Amino acid sequence: MFKLKIKDISEALGIPGWRSGLAPAFGPGRDPGDPGSNPTSGSRCMEPASPSACVSLLWNYKLNLTTDPKFESVAREVCKSTISEIKECADEPVGKGYLVSCLVDHRGNITEYQCHQYITKMTAIIFSDYRLICGFMDDCKNDINILKCGSIRLGEKDAHSQGEVVSCLEKGLVKEAEERDPKIQVSELCKKAILRVAELSSDDFHLDRHLYFACRDDRERFCENTQAGEGRVYKCLFNHKFEESMSEKCREALTTRQKLIAQDYKVSYSLAKSCKSDLKKYRCNVENLPRSREARLSYLLMCLESAVHRGRQVSSECQGEMLDYRRMLMEDFSLSPEIILSCRGEIEHHCSGLHRKGRTLHCLMKVVRGEKGSLGMNCQQALQTLIQETDPGADYRIDRALNEACESVIQTACKHIRSGDPMILSCLMEHLYTEKMVEDCEHRLLELQYFISRDWKLDPVLYRKCQGDASRLCHTHGWNETSELMPPGAVFSCLYRHAYRTEEQGRRLSRECRAEVQRILHQRAMDVKLDPALQDKCLIDLGKWCSEKTETGQELECLQDHLDDLAVECRDIVGNLTELESEVSSLRPKDSRCPVYSLSSFLSPALSWPPKEPIPSVGFVQMKDFRFSYKFKMACKEDVLKLCPNIKKKVDVVICLSTTVRNDTLQEAKEHRVSLKCRKQLRVEELEMTEDIRLEPDLYEACKTDIKNYCSTVQYGNAQIIECLKENKKQLSTRCHQKVFKLQETEMMDPELDYTLMRVCKQMIKRFCPEADSKTMLQCLKQNKNSELMDPKCKQMITKRQITQNTDYRLNPVLRKACKADIPKFCHGILTKAKDDSELEGQVISCLKLRYADQRLSSDCEDQIRIIIQESALDYRLDPQLQLHCSDEISNLCAEEAAAQEQTGQVEECLKVNLLKIKTDTCKKEVLNMLKESKADIFVDPVLHTACALDIKHHCAAITPGRGRQMSCLMEALEDKRVRLQPECKKRLNDRIEMWSYAAKVAPADGFSDLAMQVMTSPSKNYILSVISGSICILFLIGLMCGRITKRVTRELKDSRRYIYIIYILLTC
């Protein structure tokens, strides 16, 4: 194959004595015709200390090569077919060296091998001196003088000093772009020539003489294995620009070249080549205007990024180049003239000394967020523009500072997401305030998100999912186009206004777009500064009310807490945001989960109950106005207007509607006044309020002091504070006690609202009560409380709720309904003395127990009281009056039984056995009442019932339980010598007889009715009635005899006899 050499060219041109003429330049023993010693090699390979004679000879020799007509004729012969294809070169005049320069300009289009080899050799010669480049001297002569770039003279510096002239002009061009009013301006012709020279030298770094000699050592250090050509060495050096061992001279030369690339993308060989077809395809450049705005790197990047964001196909090679240059712009702020122009003062004041690896840009971002001072609007706009150009939201790796700061977080929290995926940023935001987040990553992330949040297009996922909706509903333009009528920050506002419209209200967002709007709102809720409108309108109020609230989410919470004190515009923004956020449960930051509301949700294993973290402030501000809760407002608007007019506070509205529903339920109304859809949503609101006491402002305000006194170590959330107040109910202030009682009344009416019960007993509900509705949930759990499969923690919680119910009949809806006629009939005196909203400490239930023993209750009420007596007979804690009056006796006489983990009636039995030792009259009376209750039904005496279970089965199985019938059966069996009872049963029965005898002595009947009832309930009822009947018969006979003797009987006496006779007949019957 033909190999072109300068030797062949010179001999063909007839240049005499080229070997002998150049021999002195290479020294003795060196042949300039040898490979590496010819003039083209010499221009690159000679040592800098060449003598001035050699330098002059070389320069003149190269000049002759480029201008000699014979040399051009060789070019015309070697590149004949190429010249015919390139019209511009075919028209160049002969003898001025223009032909070779033209071929150099178009060498990228040369396909002929011989011509390409020839032009490659000539390129090395031409670029060694600016005066050899076609037209360069003519175009830039004046600029060289004005910028004083022509001071370099032969002999004063090294042989390659002519590259300094081009370098000087390049620096002048760069400096002009970085000054608002430059004193010296480079002419348009020279600008074009400078950029063209830079473009022509873009494939081989040897052709940039200044950069080549500035970076020779660095090239060997960092890019030793990188092959020259196609801009590979440039890219390698760019990647190592901020290495500590990089020489300052090389770093400066690389920065200058990068700035030229920023002005004209064609200065980057790899970028221009990789993206050539894509630029043409998407009309991102104009061929006949190579130096117009379309040549700027920023315009190219934004144009191609727009195509990518629209889902168009851009070649992988081009996207790779774009990624490199976007990263380059983010790493070095000085490559962006707008940043230099607009932020020079801020950089000097706040960010000096932070030039490398994108630290300056992040420093400026930090200032914009208000953490280090303030930033001018021009600088903010320049930063926003740069963020759009580099588009780090699409790939976090573009932001080197963020990448390095968050590398550990990405490896742990986001390792499931592909590297470079846009969802990495979203993942980081989701873990913003978690244990996995590190402080440096948090700062860098928020600094970047501040700008991304101000232009919806900078979130690539949001743009991809919502661009159709934004165009349809908000009349937006292309990704890289802006409009004064619809600035970028206003588009997101437009989107979320349409996000939650009903079908009746008109056009709505697509499901995908709506999900993305929810994600963005969720992220913005974490930091006020991520919501542009909120920060702008509320800046003064933030300083006034929330200057000390610097922790996560505290600023928004503070604004919501001071909603009524805010300026009008700020109040509107906070109110609208709160109302909007209430429409989407997921807008609550991820550190809070919405409660699972329906009963079925408690039973669903796929759902997590309870929420692990407290509900955020957005829930608290909803309590101030029911309109802030979107779903509640939509479901109950008509009901509120009809039943609760003029009530604004949401908590008051909920109470009003709940009271109406409760009354309708208790009164068994045929039709509920509150609509079905409102009742369903009302349940949701009630469930929310039970999770955190702060969601019930009235309760929270009433109990603030008590919380501080008794629950200071308890965390908010998970209803822990409310549970603490319940456990300390007796010590609470009157107002707080009343509020807690009202809450308990509501929870007992609907146990599903009892957050703690539902949380602790979730699995037991699934096991024992899957079919039970919310109203009967606690009742079902109570029935299965003593099952072997019952969870101990749930059993303990059920016992707590039973204790609560037995303190006041109003806390037991089933009892209240069953005994609604008996309570006012038998316990009227207790109700009259009781104060409103005060607890009755079990007095009404004790009253009903006594009437149960007297067998005077209605059947429904009797059934419920029997259950209560049976339960309290097994566990003394379920009897509030016994606990109240016998606390000292239990501690002194029955401490061991009271300490038992499982209560089975030991304490009650202990008190009965030690009845004679009890000194307190009130406690003695309670124990006597227990004895009286046990006479009425053996089932309420668990110790006796257990001892006599077999005997009841054998001797009293046919006897119907209740009203003392089985007890009478056992007593008759005890007296019958033919019947042999179990020893334990016989012993317990004898003990009971002794206790009853003692009780009769210390507690005689209060009246005739009480006496009659004692007789009727006595195990010796038949004997007593026989004695009474015999006595009456004797009195009757005596009366007859006396009447016959006197024969003077008055009318009144006759009537009296008749009355006695009637009584006798009744008793004997």
Side-chain angles (χ1 to χ4, degrees), residues 241-309:
K241 189 175 89 168
F242 289 119
E243 297 288 343
E244 294 294 335
S245 54
M246 173 70 74
S247 66
E248 197 60 40
K249 187 177 181 182
C250 180
R251 185 180 292 117
E252 183 182 345
L254 290 171
T255 300
T256 300
R257 184 151 195 99
Q258 287 176 323
K259 290 179 179 180
L260 292 175
I261 294 173
Q263 291 196 36
D264 188 346
Y265 74 90
K266 293 181 181 179
V267 176
S268 169
Y269 179 87
S270 56
L271 179 64
K273 180 181 178 182
S274 299
C275 297
K276 184 177 180 179
S277 60
D278 295 294
L279 290 170
K280 185 176 181 180
K281 182 178 180 180
Y282 300 113
R283 301 179 181 178
C284 296
N285 61 349
V286 182
E287 293 297 336
N288 58 349
L289 295 173
R291 305 299 167 213
S292 64
R293 72 184 182 98
E294 285 80 1
R296 288 179 62 85
L297 177 64
S298 59
Y299 181 84
L300 172 141
L301 292 175
M302 291 181 67
C303 180
L304 292 177
E305 285 165 15
S306 176
V308 172
H309 286 299

Side-chain angles (χ1 to χ4, degrees), residues 348-362:
E348 292 175 358
H349 183 66
H350 299 291
C351 309
S352 59
L354 299 172
H355 182 70
R356 300 180 179 182
K357 299 182 181 180
R359 294 173 189 160
T360 303
L361 289 176
H362 271 278

Side-chain angles (χ1 to χ4, degrees), residues 3 5 18 30-42 45 121:
K3 187 174 182 181
K5 294 184 180 179
W18 76 278
R30 297 291 300 274
D31 184 356
D34 293 337
S37 299
N38 59 57
T40 58
S41 297
C45 304
K121 289 292 183 181

Side-chain angles (χ1 to χ4, degrees), residues 1011-1023:
L1011 177 61
M1013 191 56 61
Q1014 284 190 12
V1015 171
M1016 295 303 294
T1017 57
S1018 172
S1020 303
K1021 177 179 69 174
N1022 294 334
Y1023 174 75

Side-chain angles (χ1 to χ4, degrees), residues 1000-1065:
K1001 293 177 182 178
V1002 299
D1006 294 332
F1008 180 78
S1009 61
D1010 198 11
L1011 177 61
M1013 191 56 61
Q1014 284 190 12
V1015 171
M1016 295 303 294
T1017 57
S1018 172
S1020 303
K1021 177 179 69 174
N1022 294 334
Y1023 174 75
I1024 295 171
L1025 290 175
S1026 299
V1027 172
I1028 293 174
S1029 300
S1031 300
I1032 291 174
C1033 289
I1034 293 171
L1035 289 174
F1036 179 71
L1037 292 174
I1038 292 172
L1040 287 176
M1041 291 175 65
C1042 291
R1044 286 176 181 274
I1045 294 171
T1046 60
K1047 295 184 180 180
R1048 298 174 67 177
V1049 181
T1050 61
R1051 183 80 177 173
E1052 291 80 6
L1053 183 60
K1054 290 180 179 180
D1055 293 338
S1056 176
R1057 286 173 180 172
R1058 291 192 189 99
Y1059 181 70
I1060 293 172
Y1061 180 76
I1062 292 169
I1063 291 175
Y1064 170 74
I1065 296 300

